[in-house]
């Protein structure tokens, strides 16, 4: 992902993007250099749309997230800056997105973390320990976008069901391929955390039940 749309050709203004909108569409539309950008008063008559249409931005997100690594990142701005611009755009239009578009965003790796893109559902606002390369705390650079990240699947901290879903997804993603030592170490941590959570839930449920039973006894006697 991250490749610029080809710009070495004559194009109509309506088929290009203003320089200020480059983070929103540079893989889909050629971006006008400042020297070729007309006065803003003429944009409407020339068909230059700013910001670009939502479908263009969603296609841009799809292309950017095809490759979770940044090996081919070609834009001048770093990934966090580009994705902050995308988050702002999506926040303002979330209510107008279709359910299919929202689901696609939740399923895609749309958050830069630890040098790659990860799904928002594998980010948490608090983590007890380092679970890289699979789960991460929300980078500080995106703290202003917590509402959108929650809509995309980020939660405060992982629960047993989050760990279980991750393990199921990992099994499907790796298709039986062996894990490297770092990956295996992270998986073992997750398994241990699942066991800890399950052990922790037992006493709480038992305590709740005991309290209910104890409260019911005196009530019954009073009746």
């Amino acid at each position: 992902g991250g490749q610029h749309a080809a710009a070495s050709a004559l194009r109509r203004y309506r088929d290009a993007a203003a320089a200020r909108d480059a983070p929103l569409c540079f893989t889909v539309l050629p971006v006008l250099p400042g020297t070729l950008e007309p006065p803003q008063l003429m944009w409407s008559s020339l068909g230059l749309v700013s910001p670009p249409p939502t479908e263009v931005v969603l296609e841009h997100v799809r292309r950017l997230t095809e490759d979770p690594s940044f090996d081919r990142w070609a834009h001048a701005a770093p990934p966090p800056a580009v994705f902050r611009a995308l988050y702002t755009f999506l926040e303002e239009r979330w209510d107008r997105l279709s359910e299919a578009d929202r689901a696609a965003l939740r399923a895609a790796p749309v958050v830069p973390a630890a040098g790659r893109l990860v799904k928002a559902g594998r980010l948490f606002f608090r983590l007890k320990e380092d679970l890289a390369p699979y789960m991460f705390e929300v980078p500080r650079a995106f703290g202003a976008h917590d509402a959108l990240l929650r809509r995309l699947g980020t939660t405060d901290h992982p629960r047993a069901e989050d760990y279980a879903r991750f393990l199921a997804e990992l099994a499907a993603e790796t298709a039986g391929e062996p894990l490297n030592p770092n990956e295996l170490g992270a998986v073992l941590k997750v398994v241990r955390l699942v066991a800890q959570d399950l052990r922790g839930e037992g006493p709480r449920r038992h305590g709740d039940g005991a309290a209910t039973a104890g409260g019911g006894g005196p009530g019954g006697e009073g009746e």
Side-chain angles (χ1 to χ4, degrees):
Q3 296 299 307
H4 285 271
S8 57
L10 291 175
R11 297 177 185 271
R12 298 177 299 177
Y13 280 111
R14 70 179 66 253
D15 298 326
R20 70 185 186 189
D21 293 325
L24 302 177
C25 59
F26 64 79
T27 66
V28 180
L29 297 176
V31 177
L32 290 170
T35 54
L36 297 181
E37 201 168 272
Q40 192 166 345
L41 288 173
M42 299 176 61
W43 286 11
S44 179
S45 60
L46 292 171
L48 184 58
V49 178
S50 178
T54 299
E55 60 268 23
V56 169
V57 177
L58 292 175
E59 173 61 17
H60 177 55
V61 172
R62 187 192 68 77
R63 294 185 185 186
L64 285 177
T65 57
E66 283 179 336
D67 180 3
S69 74
F70 295 131
D71 294 342
R72 296 189 299 151
W73 187 264
H75 192 56
V82 169
F83 278 87
R84 280 197 299 268
L86 288 167
Y87 298 157
T88 298
F89 180 94
L90 293 171
E91 284 166 348
E92 294 170 351
R93 293 158 181 80
W94 183 262
D95 292 340
R96 286 173 271 164
L97 296 180
S98 69
E99 280 303 321
D101 288 335
R102 294 177 186 179
L105 290 168
R106 293 187 184 106
V110 294
V111 186
R116 60 183 291 108
L117 290 170
V118 299
K119 296 178 183 179
R122 292 189 185 175
L123 286 174
F124 303 90
F125 292 102
R126 292 187 302 278
L127 271 182
K128 293 179 181 177
E129 55 185 285
D130 182 10
L131 295 176
Y134 295 124
M135 295 182 179
F136 306 89
E137 280 197 345
V138 174
R140 290 185 178 182
F142 307 128
H145 301 286
D146 61 328
L148 177 68
L149 292 176
R150 288 182 187 278
R151 285 171 163 169
L152 293 173
T154 301
T155 55
D156 287 325
H157 52 80
R159 297 168 296 178
E161 52 264 40
D162 296 312
Y163 295 135
R165 183 177 64 253
F166 155 70
L167 292 172
E169 289 178 353
L170 181 63
E173 291 169 4
T174 56
E177 291 295 319
L179 303 177
N180 67 40
N182 287 340
E183 293 169 338
L184 182 58
V187 168
L188 291 175
K189 285 182 184 178
V190 169
V191 172
R192 175 170 54 78
L193 289 168
V194 171
Q196 288 176 351
D197 278 4
L198 293 176
R199 285 198 301 269
E201 288 172 5
R204 285 198 297 273
R205 285 199 300 266
H206 178 74
D208 291 344
T212 302
E221 290 174 2
E223 291 174 358

